[in-house]
Each structure stands twice: as C-alpha cells, then as structure tokens.
Amino acid sequence: MQSKGSNYHRNATAGLVFRSPISALMLCTIAAIASFYVAGRLWQDAENRVYLSKELDRITGQGKSAISVDDTLKIIGCREQQKKLTALEMELAAARQEGFVSTHLSKTKTPPKKRPLVVIGVLTGFGRKNNREVIRKAWMTTGEALKKMEEQKGVIARFVIGRSANHGDSLDRGIDIENKNYNDFFILESHVEAPEEQPKKTKLFFAHAAERWEAEYYAKVNDDVYVNIDALGSALAAQLDNPRVYIGCMKSGEVFSEQGQKWYEPDWWKFGDGKTYFRHASGEMFVISKALARFVSINRSILRTYAFDDVSTGSWFIGLDVKHIDDKKFCCASWSAGGICAGA
C-alpha cells in the first residue's frame, strides 16, 4: 500500500516531466529570435559604420574640413562655371588666331578687319574750339580724310572731353553740335570737366578707349600739340614685339611742396626727402601699349592720381614689368628731324 506522500511525489515529478519540453522549446525560440535580432543590429551598425567612415574620409580627406550641402552645391556650380569659362577661353584663343573673325564671317570669306595701330586721344575742353579747328586742319583731318587715315594707316584720332557740371547746358550742347558736324569726339559721359580733374580724365580715356577699340597702342595728346602721323606710325611699328611698353619723352623734375605754387603737388611728401619725381613721360604726348591700357581699364577704381596726368600715368607702371622707352622724338618742345610732335 502506497502512502499519500509517495503518490504526491510521483504526481509532481510527472508534472515536471510533462512541462519541461514546452519550456525548453520556448526558450530556444526566444533565444533564436534574440540572436537574429542582435545579429541584424550588429550587421546594420557595421554597414552604417562603413558608410560613415567612407563619407568622413571623403569629406575630411587631405585635411579638408566638413562642408555643408549648400557649400557642396556652390562648389559644383563653380566647377560648371569653370568648365564654361575654359570653353570660352578656348574659343577666344581660336578667334584670336583667326583675327577676331566670327564663324559667319569666315563662312562668307569676308577678310578680317585689320586691328588699328593706335588710338590717339586729344584731350580738350570747353572754350578750346579754336585749338580743335587748328588741329583738324594741321594733322587730324576731317570727314572722308579722317576715315581714310583710320582705314589705311590704322590711326584713330578723337577729341576727348567730359561733360559740364550743369549737365545739358550750353557747353554740352555746343560740343554735341560740333560732334554732329565732325563726328570726331570721344565723350566721357561720366566725367565732369575741370582743370584739376585732368589726371582722372586721362585715366578714363585709356580705360574706355581700351574697351571701345582693340588697338595695339593708345596715345594721349594735348590739344595744342601737332603730331606727325607717319613718324608716329613708324616709331610704334618698331615696338610691336614688346607687349608692355610706355613710350614718351622721359623726365623727372622737382616736386613743389608749397601750396600756391603753379606746380604744387598735394602729395609731395610721398616722393621722399629729395622731392623729386620718378621718371615719367612728359604730358604733351605719350603712348602705352594695349596690355597697359587694359590694366588701366581693369584697375581704374584703385589707381591713384596725383596733381598731374603725366606723373599719375607714370606711377601706375612703376611696380609692373613695363619697358620704359625714352624717345626724344616725343619731346614736343619744337620740331626736330624725324620728330613726332611739336607744341603750338
């Protein structure tokens, strides 16, 4: 006869044996799911780390700092613009080799237009009409003769003048009428005529002339100077192999520091204790090559002007790789054998 305790023990043991397989199966399932989950997260994290590592190497490679999306887009845009600029430069180089002839003109076999040798700017002012009439009769010519000089000799000559402080007044109207009759003015619309503004006027002439005409040289002349066009052409043709030349009758001279003197220089202290100007071309007439004219055009807003246009022009080229040519034929004090200019 079995006791009650023995029966209880057998029943409890049977219950444990009956529940154990189910518990083990659940534990295995849970463990498997957990293993897959952990493995998946580890794999995903590993992929993310690889991606982030590659991106970090790309962004910070070679010591570069991380950039934003906006900066990246700007860089891409700049690269596209650089490609376009490179293409344009190649087209420009090809155009230069062809003498600035467009595709349409090349197809029609129109001969390329000859580049002017020199653009002469005769700086004049209000009340100087008599001087202009003398110059027209002496060497600049008018009408068809002026066009012939441009076409056959490559010499373009224009009177250079600004506008009145009272824009549109009788002074301006007088110049407009004169220009309508002769068509030989180069009017600087943004410049106000004044004796003390002569250096700025000279700078604007070179800047705007370089933009309007593609010439080999640009010459500044006073309106009381006579020019030998043939002698000028010969002298300039001899310098065509020099890309950056500044030609004239070179001088230096004393710097006057006392206010009220005729040649007073407000910036006299910049020229040292000796109070002597650097070498520069005399203001009656001087010539610069196209490279220098373009330099003036590009940097016009930051080029310093002094009291006189000849000193100002000379100062612009001191720090540049420029060949200064001291040619006595440009000394306009009087006519000389083979002289290029002479004062009135």
Side-chain angles (χ1 to χ4, degrees):
M1 180 176 180
Q2 293 179 346
S3 66
K4 184 178 178 180
S6 298
N7 293 332
Y8 176 81
H9 177 73
R10 285 195 300 271
N11 293 335
T13 303
L16 288 173
V17 173
F18 178 77
R19 288 192 294 266
S20 293
I22 298 175
S23 300
L25 180 61
M26 291 179 66
L27 289 173
C28 290
T29 302
I30 293 172
I33 293 173
S35 298
F36 283 121
Y37 174 77
V38 172
R41 288 299 304 270
L42 290 174
W43 178 83
Q44 185 178 6
D45 290 345
E47 289 291 312
N48 289 339
R49 284 195 297 271
V50 171
Y51 173 76
L52 292 175
S53 177
K54 290 181 178 179
E55 287 297 301
L56 184 62
D57 291 341
R58 181 180 64 81
I59 294 174
T60 62
Q62 300 179 351
K64 297 179 182 178
S65 60
I67 58 176
S68 66
V69 175
D70 289 341
D71 291 335
T72 302
L73 293 176
K74 290 178 182 178
I75 292 172
I76 293 173
C78 288
R79 287 174 178 172
E80 291 299 323
Q81 292 297 325
Q82 182 65 34
K83 291 179 181 178
K84 293 179 181 179
L85 180 59
T86 302
L88 289 173
E89 288 176 345
M90 293 176 65
E91 291 179 6
L92 179 59
R96 284 175 175 165
Q97 292 179 354
E98 296 174 4
F100 295 96
V101 182
S102 67
T103 304
H104 174 72
L105 292 178
S106 298
K107 290 180 179 179
T108 56
K109 296 183 179 181
T110 302
K113 186 177 181 180
K114 186 177 180 180
R115 181 182 301 172
L117 175 65
V118 60
V119 176
I120 303 175
V122 183
L123 271 62
T124 189
F126 300 122
R128 306 281 290 181
K129 186 175 181 180
N130 289 338
N131 290 59
R132 294 191 289 271
E133 291 293 352
V134 171
I135 286 178
R136 289 183 180 112
K137 294 177 180 178
W139 64 268
M140 188 168 158
T141 70
T142 59
E144 291 300 321
L146 184 63
K147 293 181 180 180
K148 186 177 180 179
M149 184 172 70
E150 295 178 9
E151 295 171 356
Q152 295 185 357
K153 298 183 179 181
V155 177
I156 297 174
R158 296 289 188 273
F159 290 109
V160 182
I161 195 168
R163 286 299 189 181
S164 170
N166 300 314
H167 193 78
D169 62 8
S170 60
L171 295 175
D172 281 346
R173 291 195 298 272
I175 294 298
D176 290 336
I177 293 172
E178 189 176 345
N179 188 35
K180 185 177 180 180
N181 292 333
Y182 293 103
N183 193 29
D184 59 2
F185 276 89
F186 185 30
I187 300 176
L188 303 174
E189 297 289 349
S190 62
H191 177 72
V192 176
E193 278 294 319
E196 64 274 14
E197 298 296 331
Q198 186 81 346
K200 293 182 180 178
K201 183 178 178 180
T202 300
K203 179 172 65 174
L204 288 176
F205 160 65
F206 285 131
H208 290 300
E211 294 171 354
R212 180 169 176 178
W213 293 285
E214 183 75 19
E216 298 291 348
Y217 300 97
Y218 301 83
K220 177 263 176 178
V221 180
N222 288 342
D223 68 355
D224 57 356
V225 171
Y226 302 145
V227 178
N228 184 332
I229 295 298
D230 292 332
L232 174 63
S234 298
L236 297 182
Q239 300 297 333
L240 286 174
D241 292 335
N242 297 316
R244 296 178 298 276
V245 291
Y246 171 39
I247 311 172
C249 181
M250 298 294 171
K251 64 177 185 177
S252 54
E254 181 182 357
V255 178
F256 293 92
S257 58
E258 295 183 12
Q259 193 168 1
Q261 291 178 313
K262 181 179 180 181
W263 306 111
Y264 170 64
E265 174 59 71
D267 288 322
W268 58 268
W269 59 275
K270 293 183 179 180
F271 298 94
D273 296 334
K275 296 182 180 179
T276 302
Y277 286 118
F278 43 77
R279 297 288 285 179
H280 60 278
S282 178
E284 289 84 5
M285 180 179 184
F286 54 82
V287 181
I288 63 175
S289 60
K290 62 182 178 182
L292 300 187
R294 288 175 181 172
F295 170 81
V296 174
S297 178
I298 294 170
N299 298 282
R300 74 188 76 171
S301 62
I302 59 174
L303 290 178
R304 180 73 169 84
T305 56
Y306 294 94
F308 311 106
D309 65 339
D310 52 357
V311 174
S312 299
T313 302
S315 72
W316 303 334
F317 309 136
I318 287 179
L320 304 182
D321 183 15
V322 173
K323 184 176 182 180
H324 288 58
I325 298 178
D326 183 12
D327 191 338
K328 298 306 179 184
K329 294 191 293 293
F330 284 85
C331 298
C332 306
S334 60
W335 280 115
S336 58
I340 292 173
C341 62

